[in-house]
Amino acid sequence: MMESRSPVCNTCGEEIGVKSNGEFFVACHECSFPICKACLEYEFKEGRRICLRCGNPYDENVFDDVETKTSKNQSTIATHINNTPQDSGIHARHISTVSTIDSELNDEYGNPIWKNRVESWKDKKEKKNKNKKKKDAKATKAEEHESQIPPQQHMKDIQPNTEAAATDVLSVVIPIPRTKITSYRIVIIMRLIILALFFNYRITHPVDSAYGLWLTSVICEIWFAVSWVLDQFPKWSPINRETYIDRLSARFEREGEQSQLAAVDFFVSTVDPLKEPPLITANTVLSILALDYPVDKISCYVSDDGAAMLSFESLVETADFARKWVPFCKKYSIEPRAPEFYFSLKIDYLRDKVQPSFVKERRAMKRDYEEFKIRMNALVAKAQKTPEEGWTMQDGTSWPGNNTRDHPGMIQVFLGYSGARDIEGNELPRLVYVSREKRPGYQHHKKAGAENALVRVSAVLTNAPFILNLDCDHYVNNSKAVREAMCFLMDPIVGQDVCYVQFPQRFDGIDKSDRYANRNIVFFDVNMRGLDGIQGPVYVGTGCVFRRQALYGYSPPSKPRMLPQSSSSSSCCCFPSKKKPTQDPSEIYKDAKREELDAAIFNLGDLDNYDEYERSMLISQTSFEKTFGLSAVFIESTLMENGGVPDSVNPSTLIKEAIHVISCGYEEKTEWGKEIGWIYGSITEDILTGFKMHCRGWRSIYCMPLRPAFKGSAPINLSDRLHQVLRWALGSVEIFLSRHCPLWYGCSGGRLKWLQRMAYVNTIVYPFTSLPLVAYCTLPAICLLTGKFIIPTLSNLASMLFLGLFISIILTSVLELRWSGVSIEDLWRNEQFWVIGGVSAHLFAVFQGFLKMLAGLDTNFTVTSKTAEDLEFGELYIVKWTTLLIPPTTLLIVNLVGVVAGFSDALNKGYEAWGPLFGKVFFAFWVVLHLYPFLKGLMGRQNRTPTIVVLWSILLASVFSLVWVRINPFVSRTDTTSLSQNCLLIDC
């Protein structure tokens, strides 16, 4: 069907050519980045010997091949291409064929949209042939002219072009200095060796007097070692990145020409305006509308999944205030562009503002914002009590969302299409309110379903090629954040296979000590940077810029699409077949076509290689409807790689079509939530969505600008923090128990790198560490109460092993701090909350996950409150009663009682008992020290500690006091046998 051809170099646009053995030239065997030998040779001369896309060093064989390169004319290369077997060309393509049933298409190729699409392909092909003829004619003239020019002038003409290409790079990879990363890796290997020797000693030296305690401790220690390996080795190759925004502007925003920057659709999701205050959502929306980006390239979609009239009315007020706020921000380059956070900055705002008018306008704007807050607070106060007859809009009609579980879809365009402009007459970005339809009896899939509804609505109305999603409490802190992401996504070298660019999460409203590790510094500054050096960071739910085509389930352009497994192989994902096919590759491809009759996920870049009739077969309307749903407008938009609304669509019907795609039955019998969009099956849909993209061969980018791109509000009190961690852990357990478990899902395709898979395995098994963690935290108290210990008397060798293990742990942490820049306090806080969350939220998540799988019991999570008191950090000491507080409270009391019992027993036995006591007490203090933030948060303010917590503490203390009395630590234990013998000698 398709003629085999050589891939094109991404630098110069020429074919990459073939090697002496007839195979296509491949410079990087990690990502198969297409670059020709001439461009690669220039890279070597400039001292750049790492891949421009993935950052991995080129293989030494590639160096030799370039250095011993012999010149070959174009006819020789063409001969090699023509002699290449047909099947190699087939496997170089990355498409998934679809149904080719003739009865599905009439003489006009079915729907008019398909007819228009095929006609556009005809025009495109004709233009392509004309351009090719012109290029051939120009090339002939150039060759004739070139023959008259001396070779010295040839070099002078070529050199400036190659230098310009080198300066057009929009981002670079900055590896960690070799001195830091090499020593870090050496210590990791040393720690692994010491662990092996340590476990050899522990297993071969059991404690017979406390065999049960010893066995429990060894099992726990083995699990901790496995968890450390899963967490440590994905950080093997951390990298940094640097972007060049000025080069982006120079390339895509030339003076006097229309901006060529790609459009971006922003998604802001909210559910309950009483727990997610409308003022916070309004600040997020205002920061988006005031971005440093072309206004015609920005569209902001606000999803109100609670269908609350308060959210709608607050958005009306926000759109009105944006007409004043947006021009003010752009005129004076305000940072951040969320008014609440800008006006709360305690800085000298006059320091860099020399315009006399700035002071006056700033005061006026602050006054306008205070009035805006008064109006917003009035709406919130009004919404506290719902009228019996339901809410009524200003025109007297009933609010359609009065029944939050049974209401139609609602869409309202506030800015952009309506022609509303700011106070200076300039155009404003689009602002769209969306509330999807909900009916009883339908599964709505919570946040993931709402995000998928926004994907379809935005595709119908604006269809930007990139999507940026934010939580309602995450405002834009850096107005150039989108430009930072575009340095990767619009880079023809780096961005070809990038599915999303993830920004780190930063938070406001947290005290400096960060008692409950709300900032997650270790995860965002250490783990994510490590993943960026492999296949890319995981998707963390907010602050992420997606490529729309990746969300649609398409494969990356540079890799062939994975063939689906047969029904027999897919029935057992744990043991994928490793048997290699023995039949001809072309026959395999034909069989794959027959197996994929109903598939509609393929690479659009190869459509140009088909004739008109074959294209119409590939995009048959029936096949696309089975994948994307019954919307011809939306299906047509999925074929537009560069975005934009299809020309064949009537603009007056767009809103009607947008209402149709958010109906509650639209996703039935489609691939939404299974293969395309946000993936269903877990409450942590973010991890699952990113995992599916990486399994298809996409890679992601981690962008850490100097000024944080986005900032959000974190739940700083203990109860809310534990509930947040519980939600994340339960989502991981759900993924572990689903068919998408990273232990086996996608193994046959081979597109997920093994270190990346290890990282995903770590994200789904970490809640199970709670079981050995609870047991290990209980062991010190049991040892102190029973007088036994889990370790026998240490020899010199054993002492060396224990000492070496502690030193390797410390060195690993120190070297990790060196290359990451994380402080010791952040690392310690992370370690403390790992224990606190592990013995509480993670433990509950494991049991709830299994209950959900076995008994079908689901857990409803409440939205974390984003409000705060007037007093700074006022919620830090608030403790709301939750069952999550019971396990850590119990462990604290048990270990404290055990310490008291241990000291009393040592006093009773004499000085010989003090030596073994120190090891047991150290073990107990390790537990208490890690739980100290929990204890401080629980008892920080007595008047705010829940009464039920005090009652539980007294009850638990009484129980363990009775146990202590039963042990009789102050009474000497007498041998009853000798006592009875003495009694016999007494003559009564």
Side-chain angles (χ1 to χ4, degrees):
M1 283 177 62
M2 198 185 311
E3 185 180 357
S4 175
R5 57 178 183 142
S6 174
V8 178
C9 175
N10 264 25
T11 303
C12 63
E14 299 295 333
E15 293 184 352
I16 64 172
V18 293
K19 296 187 291 187
S20 58
N21 58 2
E23 297 179 356
F24 291 132
F25 176 73
V26 179
C28 179
H29 295 285
E30 291 291 333
C31 64
S32 302
F33 174 62
I35 183 172
C36 65
K37 294 182 180 180
C39 294
L40 186 62
E41 187 177 20
Y42 175 80
E43 291 292 321
F44 294 157
K45 290 179 180 179
E46 293 295 319
R48 294 186 290 268
R49 296 205 169 198
I50 60 174
C51 179
L52 295 175
R53 176 187 295 167
C54 64
N56 290 316
Y58 290 116
D59 187 60
E60 293 297 331
N61 295 330
V62 177
F63 298 153
D64 299 338
D65 187 47
V66 174
E67 291 168 359
T68 60
K69 179 174 101 42
T70 58
S71 59
K72 295 184 180 181
N73 55 26
Q74 187 67 25
S75 61
T76 307
I77 297 176
T79 304
H80 281 295
I81 296 173
N82 293 331
N83 292 336
T84 305
Q86 180 79 9
D87 55 278
S88 64
I90 292 174
H91 285 286
R93 296 191 297 270
H94 30 76
I95 66 171
S96 165
T97 53
V98 295
S99 176
T100 56
I101 303 175
D102 296 338
S103 61
E104 293 179 0
L105 300 173
N106 55 24
D107 295 337
E108 296 183 352
Y109 305 110
N111 193 286
I113 290 181
W114 309 116
K115 182 179 178 181
N116 295 335
R117 184 66 179 177
V118 172
E119 289 176 355
S120 67
W121 274 327
K122 291 180 180 179
D123 297 338
K124 185 176 180 181
K125 187 175 182 180
E126 292 175 358
K127 291 180 181 179
K128 195 174 183 181
N129 293 334
K130 290 180 181 179
N131 293 334
K132 187 176 182 181
K133 292 178 181 178
K134 290 180 180 180
K135 288 181 180 178
D136 293 340
K138 289 181 180 179
T140 305
K141 292 181 180 180
E143 289 176 359
E144 295 175 356
H145 179 67
E146 194 174 317
S147 61
Q148 304 173 2
I149 301 176
Q152 293 84 0
Q153 295 186 19
H154 288 179
M155 295 299 296
K156 291 180 181 179
D157 292 338
I158 295 174
Q159 189 173 359
N161 293 333
T162 54
E163 288 180 353
T167 57
D168 282 344
V169 177
L170 302 179
S171 64
V172 294
V173 174
I174 304 177
I176 303 297
R178 189 174 297 274
T179 55
K180 294 182 179 180
I181 197 65
T182 302
S183 57
Y184 178 62
R185 292 172 178 173
I186 291 174
V187 171
I188 291 175
I189 298 300
M190 288 177 56
R191 182 174 173 182
L192 199 61
I193 296 172
I194 293 173
L195 271 175
L197 298 174
F198 171 78
F199 283 119
N200 178 64
Y201 170 80
R202 290 284 284 135
I203 295 173
T204 57
H205 291 77
V207 182
D208 296 330
S209 60
Y211 190 82
L213 297 178
W214 167 83
L215 182 62
T216 303
S217 65
V218 170
I219 294 174
C220 294
E221 289 162 3
I222 292 175
W223 180 265
F224 294 151
V226 172
S227 299
W228 172 77
V229 170
L230 292 176
D231 180 70
Q232 187 68 65
F233 278 90
K235 297 180 283 189
W236 186 260
S237 301
I239 60 172
N240 295 316
R241 296 183 185 271
E242 184 177 348
T243 57
Y244 303 105
I245 299 179
D246 53 343
R247 296 182 185 179
L248 180 77
S249 300
R251 179 183 293 186
F252 297 105
E253 291 183 299
R254 297 177 180 175
E255 189 174 355
E257 299 180 7
Q258 188 177 3
S259 174
Q260 299 299 317
L261 290 174
V264 182
D265 287 338
F266 282 77
F267 294 173
V268 179
S269 55
T270 182
V271 180
D272 189 350
L274 297 180
K275 294 184 178 179
E276 300 170 328
L279 186 61
I280 292 180
T281 305
N283 273 271
T284 301
V285 172
L286 290 170
S287 67
I288 294 172
L289 299 179
L291 274 171
D292 181 10
Y293 208 73
V295 293
D296 59 324
K297 306 290 185 179
I298 301 176
S299 300
C300 180
Y301 293 84
V302 180
S303 170
D304 177 22
D305 216 32
M309 187 173 174
L310 173 58
S311 299
F312 179 83
E313 290 181 335
S314 64
L315 211 57
V316 174
E317 293 289 346
T318 304
D320 184 60
F321 180 72
R323 299 177 63 248
K324 303 176 183 178
W325 175 250
V326 172
F328 171 75
C329 291
K330 294 187 175 181
K331 183 177 180 180
Y332 297 107
S333 300
I334 299 301
E335 293 285 1
R337 300 191 176 181
E340 180 69 24
F341 301 95
Y342 168 69
F343 289 122
S344 63
L345 291 177
K346 299 177 181 179
I347 59 173
D348 183 9
Y349 61 87
L350 298 176
R351 183 176 55 186
D352 298 324
K353 310 298 179 183
V354 295
Q355 303 94 329
S357 59
F358 172 73
V359 178
K360 181 178 179 181
E361 289 192 33
R362 185 185 185 279
R363 289 173 180 170
M365 183 55 60
K366 188 173 183 180
R367 183 170 59 251
D368 291 339
Y369 178 65
E370 293 298 329
E371 294 175 357
F372 168 71
K373 289 174 65 176
I374 291 173
R375 294 193 298 270
M376 295 288 284
N377 292 332
L379 292 176
V380 174
K382 176 184 174 183
Q384 295 295 326
K385 186 177 181 180
T386 305
E388 295 181 359
E389 65 278 5
W391 297 107
T392 304
M393 295 187 289
Q394 293 182 356
D395 58 358
T397 59
S398 179
W399 171 247
N402 278 325
N403 188 345
T404 58
R405 298 183 179 179
D406 187 4
H407 65 83
M410 295 176 282
I411 296 177
Q412 176 66 47
V413 181
F414 292 105
L415 302 174
Y417 285 126
S418 61
R421 297 178 178 268
D422 61 27
I423 57 175
E424 296 181 359
N426 300 318
E427 185 182 356
L428 288 169
R430 297 178 182 89
L431 177 60
V432 184
Y433 169 87
V434 179
S435 181
R436 56 178 175 150
E437 180 186 18
K438 287 190 176 181
R439 301 297 182 190
Y442 287 92
Q443 179 61 262
H444 299 105
H445 302 288
K446 301 178 182 179
K447 181 181 178 181
E451 295 287 350
N452 284 338
L454 288 181
V455 171
R456 297 191 293 271
V457 168
S458 62
V460 171
L461 297 181
T462 53
N463 195 34
F466 300 106
I467 293 171
L468 197 159
N469 79 299
L470 290 172
D471 289 341
C472 66
D473 62 323
H474 274 70
Y475 65 91
V476 181
N477 184 64
N478 184 348
S479 61
K480 298 183 183 294
V482 179
R483 294 178 181 270
E484 295 274 356
M486 291 301 119
C487 286
F488 301 107
L489 294 169
M490 296 189 69
D491 192 318
I493 298 175
V494 178
Q496 185 180 15
D497 290 344
V498 176
C499 56
Y500 60 81
V501 175
Q502 178 66 61
F503 291 89
Q505 293 184 21
R506 305 300 187 203
F507 300 98
D508 290 318
I510 302 175
D511 62 323
K512 293 182 180 180
S513 64
D514 194 13
R515 181 178 299 173
Y516 308 125
N518 283 288
R519 292 190 176 94
N520 282 328
I521 294 295
V522 174
F523 174 75
F524 287 113
D525 287 16
V526 180
N527 297 61
M528 296 286 271
R529 287 166 68 186
L531 290 176
D532 198 16
I534 309 173
Q535 198 171 344
V538 298
Y539 169 43
V540 295
T542 184
C544 187
V545 186
F546 284 97
R547 186 182 299 275
R548 188 182 286 268
Q549 294 295 321
L551 280 172
Y552 289 159
Y554 294 111
S555 296
S558 67
K559 295 187 179 181
R561 188 183 183 276
M562 291 167 51
L563 298 180
Q565 297 178 350
S566 62
S567 58
S568 60
S569 62
S570 61
S571 61
C572 184
C573 302
C574 302
F575 303 96
S577 176
K578 297 183 179 180
K579 188 176 181 180
K580 295 184 179 180
T582 56
Q583 63 184 105
D584 185 76
S586 60
E587 292 297 324
I588 298 175
Y589 182 73
K590 292 177 182 179
D591 293 340
K593 286 183 61 179
R594 286 190 288 269
E595 292 175 2
E596 293 189 11
L597 289 179
D598 294 332
I601 302 174
F602 53 88
N603 191 288
L604 299 176
D606 287 325
L607 285 177
D608 294 332
N609 299 309
Y610 291 87
D611 59 29
E612 288 77 12
Y613 180 75
E614 289 167 343
R615 292 191 195 111
S616 63
M617 294 296 184
L618 281 172
I619 62 167
S620 62
Q621 185 176 357
T622 303
S623 295
F624 267 84
E625 287 177 350
K626 290 179 180 179
T627 303
F628 294 113
L630 300 173
S631 173
V633 177
F634 175 74
I635 293 174
E636 176 71 359
S637 70
T638 63
L639 300 176
M640 306 179 69
E641 289 184 271
N642 297 322
V645 180
D647 297 332
S648 57
V649 177
N650 185 1
S652 62
T653 63
L654 286 179
I655 295 295
K656 183 178 179 181
E657 191 67 24
I659 292 290
H660 168 60
V661 298
I662 60 172
S663 58
C664 55
Y666 183 84
E667 295 182 357
E668 288 191 344
K669 297 181 180 180
T670 66
E671 294 297 321
W672 284 101
K674 302 173 185 176
E675 296 296 333
I676 60 177
W678 271 257
I679 306 301
Y680 305 148
S682 171
I683 56 176
T684 52
E685 68 288 331
D686 46 4
I687 297 293
L688 203 53
T689 302
F691 174 64
K692 294 276 284 188
M693 292 182 183
H694 284 138
C695 286
R696 295 190 188 106
W698 291 97
R699 64 186 311 269
S700 54
I701 296 287
Y702 196 50
C703 184
M704 297 180 65
L706 294 177
R707 180 179 180 86
F710 309 100
K711 281 191 173 183
S713 302
I716 62 175
N717 70 69
L718 180 60
S719 303
D720 287 344
R721 175 69 167 141
L722 290 177
H723 275 290
Q724 183 188 58
V725 174
L726 172 62
R727 181 182 181 276
W728 296 342
L730 181 57
S732 296
V733 175
E734 289 175 343
I735 297 175
F736 177 80
L737 299 175
S738 71
R739 70 182 185 93
H740 292 116
C741 180
L743 288 170
W744 52 73
Y745 182 84
C747 288
S748 58
R751 293 191 174 183
L752 195 67
K753 295 187 177 181
W754 67 275
L755 283 179
Q756 191 81 11
R757 183 178 297 278
M758 187 180 293
Y760 273 111
V761 170
N762 185 47
T763 61
I764 58 124
V765 301
Y766 77 89
F768 296 95
T769 307
S770 60
L771 299 174
L773 187 61
V774 170
Y776 212 69
C777 290
T778 310
L779 285 177
I782 297 177
C783 291
L784 287 167
L785 291 171
T786 59
K788 300 177 181 179
F789 202 38
I790 58 176
I791 300 175
T793 303
L794 296 179
S795 62
N796 292 334
L797 176 61
S799 302
M800 293 286 290
L801 286 176
F802 276 91
L803 184 62
L805 183 60
F806 284 124
I807 292 176
S808 64
I809 292 173
I810 295 172
L811 282 178
T812 305
S813 302
V814 170
L815 293 175
E816 199 167 272
L817 296 180
R818 282 189 64 201
W819 65 256
S820 65
V822 176
S823 66
I824 297 178
E825 183 181 9
D826 290 324
L827 189 67
W828 174 239
R829 291 301 187 195
N830 181 78
E831 183 76 13
Q832 285 181 313
F833 198 79
W834 173 73
V835 176
I836 295 172
V839 300
S840 57
H842 298 172
L843 183 66
F844 277 75
V846 171
F847 287 107
Q848 289 182 8
F850 279 100
L851 284 175
K852 183 177 180 180
M853 181 189 69
L854 298 175
L857 298 177
D858 198 359
T859 305
N860 293 323
F861 289 94
T862 57
V863 179
T864 305
S865 177
K866 305 297 190 300
T867 57
E869 297 183 355
D870 295 335
L871 183 63
E872 188 177 16
F873 315 128
E875 286 197 348
L876 181 60
Y877 298 105
I878 293 179
V879 178
K880 305 170 186 176
W881 166 244
T882 171
T883 52
L884 298 177
L885 301 177
I886 297 176
T889 305
T890 305
L891 287 174
L892 273 170
I893 295 177
V894 167
N895 280 277
L896 291 175
V897 170
V899 170
V900 176
F903 274 103
S904 63
D905 192 47
L907 289 172
N908 186 44
K909 288 183 177 180
Y911 70 93
E912 294 181 355
W914 287 95
L917 177 65
F918 285 138
K920 302 173 187 177
V921 170
F922 174 80
F923 199 9
F925 274 151
W926 179 90
V927 177
V928 175
L929 198 60
H930 279 76
L931 293 176
Y932 175 71
F934 175 84
L935 178 63
K936 191 173 181 180
L938 191 67
M939 309 303 294
R941 292 186 181 179
Q942 295 294 335
N943 58 339
R944 294 197 175 188
T945 303
T947 306
I948 190 67
V949 174
V950 178
L951 294 177
W952 268 102
S953 301
I954 296 173
L955 177 62
L956 291 173
S958 302
V959 171
F960 288 108
S961 297
L962 292 173
V963 173
W964 180 21
V965 171
R966 177 66 182 84
I967 297 173
N968 296 324
F970 291 108
V971 179
S972 60
R973 294 171 175 79
T974 312
D975 190 353
T976 57
T977 305
S978 60
L979 181 63
S980 60
Q981 291 177 354
N982 293 332
C983 290
L984 293 175
L985 298 175
I986 300 174
D987 188 5
C988 299

